[in-house]
Amino acid sequence: QADQALYVAKRSGRNRLCMWSDPELQPVSSSSASINSSHPVASERGGTPMPQGHVLIIDDDPIVGDVFRHMLQNDRYAVTVENSGKAAIATLKQNAGRFDVAFVDLMLAGESGLDLLDRIAALDDSVVRIVITGQATVDNAVAALRRGAYDFIQKPILSAQLQAAARRALIYRRLVIENRRYQLHLEDMVREKSMALSNMLDQITRSYDFTLEALAAVIDAREHQTGQHSLRVAKLTRILSSELGLSQEEVEVMAHGALLHDIGKIAIPDSILLKPGPLDAQEWDVMKTHPEIGYRILKSSPFLQKAADIVRQHQERYDGSGYPAGLRGEEICLGARIFAVTDSYDAMRSRRAYSEPRSPKDAAAEITRMSGTKFDPKVVQAFTACIPAIEDAGGWDRPEISKPALSS
């Protein structure tokens, strides 16, 4: 095989190198004009098969560079040869993203192949770097791998070895790029799914709030109340709870408790609930069961267990005069102590069939007067600080807008 390659080289003009290949021999010129070529041999047009990949060879020996180019071109690689690290970096900058594999000589004239590995990675970390050297020591191999080399090959190199190394590197690069694309796509999918989940949770929350508000409206309507008392008290409770420095989660618990405070009245007979006159002792005993009934209705829901405590205690009073348990002071849960203030203020500011609304000044004065007896002083103090916000949210002085009745 060597003898055949020798005679092909002689017939091609002597003073050149020719690698034996089957089925045909191709002379490789050692002239600088031939070495300096940076175009792939295989054309990407006119039906010629496209190259498997683009390879950059960096070796300060022009003959070695030409030999490697010939070996890889026989396996359909587009090959560019550079004889210095500086020229290789310039080529990489001019052809950003073009190269798949770089074969780097460990001992370049006046340069370190290891340093060149770092510079190539800084320009394009997708380029798979392979070290080639005639000094294949363990230390050199370890140093090259630590600097990011994918493979370490000892000279002299057989054509099959070089081609196999290039194929392995190309497959590895494609896997890395595919993995990166997959991760980017996965991030997009996670982002989309997270957004969809967030939107779904928002919809569920809105539906959940609507259900609670509708339930509260049904209770209010049963007592022939207008003005959406439960919704308004829940809104005022949010403001007062925030003034007391509670977290957003705690504020929502307080608001739900206020919204559903009278849910237990669903079990009170109309003859008692809608009685126009005062209740007798027996009727009062029945009426006083509604906090406990409401508590039992709500405690079965994991989302409303904390609100259930507020419902159970919403008729307790700070001085112990309330019902059903006669709790006093901080024995009463904070939500119920907050509700007591907002419920009383709304009752005084609202127009009822039996009374006209009181002015903000008179209603606030009454709240302050009952501080320490009916109401928690700390809650009253916070209430006083947020009266403007409560007045704005309550809108008592604005005329009610009646809604048309729904036809059956």
Side-chain angles (χ1 to χ4, degrees):
Q1 293 170 358
D3 193 51
Q4 292 178 31
L6 170 64
Y7 282 101
V8 170
K10 287 183 176 181
R11 288 196 299 270
S12 301
R14 298 175 177 272
N15 295 325
R16 64 190 63 229
L17 176 71
C18 181
M19 298 294 298
W20 179 90
S21 63
D22 191 18
E24 63 178 358
L25 301 173
Q26 298 180 14
V28 181
S29 172
S30 62
S31 66
S32 59
S34 174
I35 293 172
N36 199 34
S37 172
S38 61
H39 300 287
V41 171
S43 172
E44 297 180 2
R45 300 172 302 184
T48 305
M50 292 179 64
Q52 294 194 67
H54 291 78
V55 177
L56 177 63
I57 295 173
I58 309 163
D59 197 302
D60 56 3
D61 187 335
I63 298 295
V64 173
D66 261 358
V67 169
F68 287 170
R69 172 162 52 197
H70 180 71
M71 290 177 174
L72 293 173
Q73 285 177 344
N74 283 342
D75 203 22
R76 287 198 308 105
Y77 287 93
V79 183
T80 300
V81 177
E82 298 294 353
N83 303 127
S84 68
K86 183 177 179 180
I89 294 299
T91 297
L92 286 167
K93 287 181 178 179
Q94 293 170 6
N95 300 273
R98 175 183 178 84
F99 292 100
D100 303 303
V101 184
F103 287 90
V104 182
D105 188 15
L106 188 62
M107 300 297 177
L108 296 169
E111 297 178 89
S112 167
L114 295 177
D115 291 341
L116 186 56
L117 293 177
D118 296 335
R119 293 168 65 190
I120 293 173
L123 282 175
D124 186 351
D125 64 352
S126 71
V127 176
V128 181
R129 289 145 289 157
I130 297 176
V131 169
I132 49 177
T133 181
Q135 301 181 22
T137 65
V138 173
D139 289 343
N140 284 342
V142 171
L145 296 176
R146 284 180 175 172
R147 301 289 276 272
Y150 170 73
D151 205 347
F152 186 88
I153 303 175
Q154 182 178 3
K155 295 178 182 178
I157 305 169
L158 297 176
S159 178
Q161 283 181 294
L162 191 68
Q163 292 169 359
R167 283 194 294 271
R168 288 196 305 269
L170 195 60
I171 292 171
Y172 171 74
R173 181 179 185 272
R174 287 170 180 167
L175 287 174
V176 169
I177 291 176
E178 185 64 27
N179 186 54
R180 290 180 182 177
R181 288 174 181 166
Y182 174 76
Q183 289 189 4
L184 288 173
H185 182 56
L186 186 62
E187 289 176 4
D188 291 339
M189 288 194 299
V190 169
R191 193 177 298 111
E192 290 174 4
K193 293 294 184 183
S194 298
M195 186 176 298
L197 179 60
S198 178
N199 292 336
M200 186 178 298
L201 289 175
D202 287 342
Q203 291 177 6
I204 292 173
T205 300
R206 287 194 295 269
S207 298
Y208 175 70
D209 289 342
F210 174 80
T211 302
L212 297 184
E213 290 172 6
L215 184 59
V218 168
I219 300 300
D220 284 351
R222 184 162 179 255
E223 291 191 81
H224 300 164
Q225 294 188 40
T226 59
Q228 299 181 316
H229 164 69
S230 296
L231 288 173
R232 191 161 51 235
V233 172
K235 191 186 301 183
L236 305 186
T237 298
R238 279 192 177 91
I239 296 171
L240 184 51
S241 299
S242 298
E243 182 67 29
L244 285 163
L246 302 184
S247 68
Q248 184 60 40
E249 182 180 357
E250 292 171 322
V251 168
E252 290 305 309
V253 169
M254 305 301 172
H256 288 156
L259 181 67
L260 301 173
H261 68 280
D262 273 344
I263 191 173
K265 288 183 178 179
I266 198 169
I268 305 300
D270 286 351
S271 59
I272 296 175
L273 186 67
L274 305 179
K275 185 176 179 178
L279 302 178
D280 60 30
Q282 187 177 3
E283 290 170 335
W284 259 117
D285 288 341
V286 174
M287 179 63 77
K288 288 180 180 180
T289 62
H290 82 271
E292 186 66 30
I293 293 170
Y295 169 76
R296 290 201 302 269
I297 291 172
L298 298 183
K299 73 174 183 178
S300 59
S301 168
F303 303 105
L304 295 172
Q305 286 180 349
K306 294 180 180 179
D309 290 329
I310 299 173
V311 171
R312 190 182 206 177
Q313 300 175 16
H314 79 275
Q315 290 291 351
E316 302 287 359
R317 297 295 173 257
Y318 194 73
D319 60 1
S321 62
Y323 65 87
L327 303 177
R328 65 172 60 242
E330 295 191 1
E331 292 176 347
I332 306 168
C333 68
L334 179 58
R337 283 179 274 149
I338 293 172
F339 169 80
V341 174
T342 57
D343 181 59
S344 295
Y345 191 78
D346 179 68
M348 288 186 283
R349 291 288 290 119
S350 298
R351 178 174 281 103
R352 301 291 174 91
Y354 51 83
S355 65
E356 289 295 312
R358 300 174 67 169
S359 68
K361 182 178 180 181
D362 288 347
E366 183 66 12
I367 295 291
T368 302
R369 187 182 68 79
M370 289 188 288
S371 176
T373 54
K374 187 176 181 180
F375 307 126
D376 182 345
K378 290 186 292 187
V379 176
V380 172
Q381 184 179 4
F383 167 80
T384 304
C386 62
I387 288 177
I390 284 178
E391 276 295 316
D392 185 60
W396 293 280
D397 294 331
R398 296 190 286 271
E400 298 284 354
I401 301 176
S402 61
K403 296 182 180 180
L406 295 175
S407 59
S408 60

